[in-house]
């Protein structure tokens, strides 16, 4: 049976048109009530702006109904397309099924939804005279509401689901229910088939040994694949809000394996997922007992004066604090270079995550962390909300309504492999950095009693940002360059927080932008930047060798377990497997 035959066509009545008007009015009222609650007062709107928005919406809506009725309503064979400049004409992946534009009923629903969405977003943007964060919260809430209201999320309004239900005799809904109940059982939305991956076999499989272990982390030393390696080793600090193997996915995507193959001595910190024993851990612990301890451990093991470092996301933020501490102690020479993957230190432009740090959100975090740590599933849900259309509703449709099998995808497997966070550290991080932006105030934060100042960091730095990063926005990452006193190479990578980093040369995907000379502002960088197709990893490797190109033979401690630190277990180690 064709999708077009599923619904009995009929012309909409006046009552039905009035119903649509009522739905819009209630949606508008909900948005205004939410906005008033967020700001604590009646929202000021510019009357002329609101009048223009309402007039535009009324005109678009009337034109939609006029086209619909003039062409015979649901009795027509082919809907008339909206004008090219209409909000209802824009492309939207949720409405990719041809039935959304060829079937009169679905076309009406689609166009009506897009018009309402455009109207409510314009109304949210029209709010004036309030705190920018309150306005951003209103816009975020409106976007979330509209994403949830999308007709594609409802089985009887989605032509793909209707057709699949008829073809399968409803089996898709039964299978979808099984998926939903399983997700409710584990308290987390499933994105991929996790049975297809095994740590150490086809993911996190780069050969190496755990050579050092503390209550906070394991240190992995990867086996060299070249006869000689750079004299100065590299320590990678991944974020402890995720598992480290985002940098060691399948072999063809692994940054770790690629770096090893470039002749670099690679060490990596695998953080322990927090439990009740870590309830009192704070940022100082991750700086001193984490990063500084790892730096000193590798220096002593290889008898080298300094190491290269990489900090990804929150570990990059922490690396900046570590460098500032070493500078204050007169020990800056312990680090030869610092690379920052999508890291922030100035949170004044940190994007939508700043919407989750008000007093009410902090009370919720405290309740969720009563056992001394925050269950990683709550953090995962927060990140999913930032891209709800792609990371929530897309999977609701595919998993629950269409009952589709989960595809095996290593990146999505990693994304669902959550880690727990120490409660005190998490709260301090959200309040002191995201909310109060203390890290960029010289002396405002102390580590073990030593005030730190980012402007004292003279370590050569490589700062990488993602053009479409929704977690660490480009504008926010750029600010890091404004607080460092040493030489900085800034690079803008195509894509976002993950794909912008994990882009191996063999994939030949995306692009990156660099400038021949340091630029004073982000706008100046964009104006001067030169685009290069493909991966930025070779650019980074060239920069690293430009700092120190000396090489040594692979022998003794350059082999995992070959020095005074003996192998404890094979990589990836047991910390990454702890839940």
């Amino acid at each position: 049976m064709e999708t077009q035959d599923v619904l009995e066509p009929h012309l909409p009545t006046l009552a039905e048109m009035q119903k649509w008007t009522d739905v819009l009015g209630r949606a508008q009222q909900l948005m205004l009530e939410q906005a008033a609650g967020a700001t604590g007062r009646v929202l000021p709107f510019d009357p002329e702006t609101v009048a223009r928005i309402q007039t535009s919406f009324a005109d678009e809506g009337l034109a939609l109904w006029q086209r619909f009725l003039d062409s015979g309503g649901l009795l027509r064979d082919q809907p008339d397309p909206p004008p090219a400049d209409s909000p209802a004409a824009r492309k939207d992946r949720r409405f990719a099924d041809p039935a959304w534009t060829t079937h009169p009923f679905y076309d009406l629903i689609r166009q009506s939804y897009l018009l309402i969405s455009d109207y409510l977003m314009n109304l949210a943007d029209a709010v004036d005279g309030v705190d920018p964060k309150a306005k951003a919260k209103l816009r975020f809430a409106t976007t979330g509401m509209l994403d949830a209201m999308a007709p594609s999320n409802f089985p009887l309004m989605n032509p793909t689901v209707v057709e699949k239900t008829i073809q399968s005799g409803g089996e898709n809904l039964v299978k979808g229910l099984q998926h939903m109940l399983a997700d409710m059982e584990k308290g987390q939305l499933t994105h991929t088939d996790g049975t297809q991956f095994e740590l150490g076999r086809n993911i996190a499989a780069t050969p190496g040994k755990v050579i050092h272990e503390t209550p906070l982390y394991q240190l992995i030393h990867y086996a060299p694949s070249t006869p000689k390696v750079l004299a100065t080793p590299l320590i990678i600090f991944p974020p402890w809000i995720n598992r480290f193997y985002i940098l060691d996915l399948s072999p063809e995507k692994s940054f770790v394996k690629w770096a090893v193959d470039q002749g670099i001595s690679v060490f990596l910190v695998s953080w322990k997922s927090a439990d009740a024993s870590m309830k009192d851990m704070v940022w100082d612990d991750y700086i001193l007992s984490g990063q500084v301890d790892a730096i000193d451990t590798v220096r002593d093991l290889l008898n080298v004066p300094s190491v290269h470092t990489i900090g990804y996301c929150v570990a990059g933020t922490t690396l900046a604090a570590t460098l500032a501490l070493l500078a204050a102690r007169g020990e800056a020479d312990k680090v030869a270079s610092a690379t920052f993957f999508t890291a922030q230190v100035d949170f004044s432009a940190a994007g939508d995550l700043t919407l989750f740090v008000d007093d009410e959100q902090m009370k919720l975090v405290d309740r969720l962390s009563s056992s001394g740590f925050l269950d990683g599933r709550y953090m995962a849900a927060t990140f999913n909300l930032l891209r709800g259309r792609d990371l929530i509703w897309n999977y609701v449709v595919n998993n629950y309504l269409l009952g589709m099998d989960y595809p095996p995808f290593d990146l999505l497997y990693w994304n669902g492999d959550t880690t727990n966070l120490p409660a005190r550290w998490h709260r301090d991080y959200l309040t002191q950095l995201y909310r109060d932006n203390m890290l960029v105030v010289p002396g405002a934060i102390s580590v073990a009693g030593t005030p730190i100042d980012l402007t004292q960091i003279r370590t050569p730095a490589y700062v990488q940002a993602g053009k479409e990063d929704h977690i660490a926005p480009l504008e926010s990452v750029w600010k890091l360059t404004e607080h460092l006193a040493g030489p900085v190479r800034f690079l803008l990578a195509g894509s976002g927080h993950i794909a912008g980093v994990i882009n191996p040369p063999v994939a030949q995907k995306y692009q990156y932008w660099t400038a021949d000379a340091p630029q004073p502002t982000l706008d100046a960088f964009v104006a001067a930047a030169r685009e290069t197709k493909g991966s930025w990893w070779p650019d980074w490797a060239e920069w690293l060798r430009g700092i120190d190109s000396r090489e040594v033979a692979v022998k003794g401690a350059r082999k995992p377990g070959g020095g005074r630190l003996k192998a404890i277990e094979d990589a990836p180690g047991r910390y990454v497997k702890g839940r």
Side-chain angles (χ1 to χ4, degrees), residues 94 113 117 140-154 385-390 393:
R94 294 171 294 181
Y113 168 74
S117 297
F140 183 82
T142 304
T143 300
M145 176 190 71
L146 291 171
D147 286 346
M149 286 173 52
S152 54
N153 299 335
F154 299 92
L385 281 172
L386 296 179
R387 291 178 57 200
R389 184 180 301 182
D390 295 328
W393 298 111

Side-chain angles (χ1 to χ4, degrees), residues 6 34 47 76 195 200 235 440 500 556:
V6 173
Q34 167 70 22
R76 57 190 169 161
T195 65
I235 305 178
V440 292

Side-chain angles (χ1 to χ4, degrees), residues 248-400:
D248 189 25
L249 293 170
S250 55
E252 63 273 12
K253 297 179 184 176
S254 172
F255 177 82
V256 168
K257 182 180 185 304
W258 181 86
V260 168
D261 291 342
Q262 304 312 301
I264 301 172
S265 279
V266 178
F267 295 79
L268 182 143
V269 166
S270 173
W271 304 101
K272 182 180 180 181
S273 181
D275 55 27
S277 69
M278 299 170 66
K279 64 183 178 65
D280 293 323
M281 283 196 171
V282 293
W283 206 25
D284 287 21
D285 294 300
Y286 283 91
I287 294 170
L288 294 167
S289 301
Q291 293 190 348
V292 173
D293 182 72
I295 290 168
D296 287 340
T297 297
V298 173
R299 289 176 59 249
D300 292 344
L301 172 67
L302 300 184
N303 192 27
V304 293
S306 61
V307 299
H308 296 299
T309 57
I310 291 176
Y312 193 166
C313 189
V314 61
T317 306
T318 305
L319 178 58
T322 295
L323 295 175
L325 174 66
L326 293 176
R329 289 179 169 182
E331 300 175 347
D333 290 344
K334 288 183 176 181
V335 178
S337 76
T339 296
F340 298 91
F341 290 171
T342 63
Q344 304 170 92
V345 296
D346 185 333
F347 292 81
S348 59
D352 286 341
L353 274 175
T354 59
L355 305 178
F356 295 86
V357 293
D358 60 20
D359 290 342
E360 289 303 313
Q361 293 291 340
M362 287 299 99
K363 290 177 183 177
L364 175 61
V365 168
D366 289 341
R367 290 197 297 272
L368 296 176
S369 308
S370 59
S371 56
F373 64 93
L374 179 71
D375 189 317
R377 291 174 295 182
Y378 296 114
M379 181 63 70
T382 299
F383 285 125
N384 286 344
L385 281 172
L386 296 179
R387 291 178 57 200
R389 184 180 301 182
D390 295 328
L391 295 179
I392 296 178
W393 298 111
N394 177 53
Y395 290 94
V396 166
V397 173
N398 289 337
N399 298 359
Y400 302 161

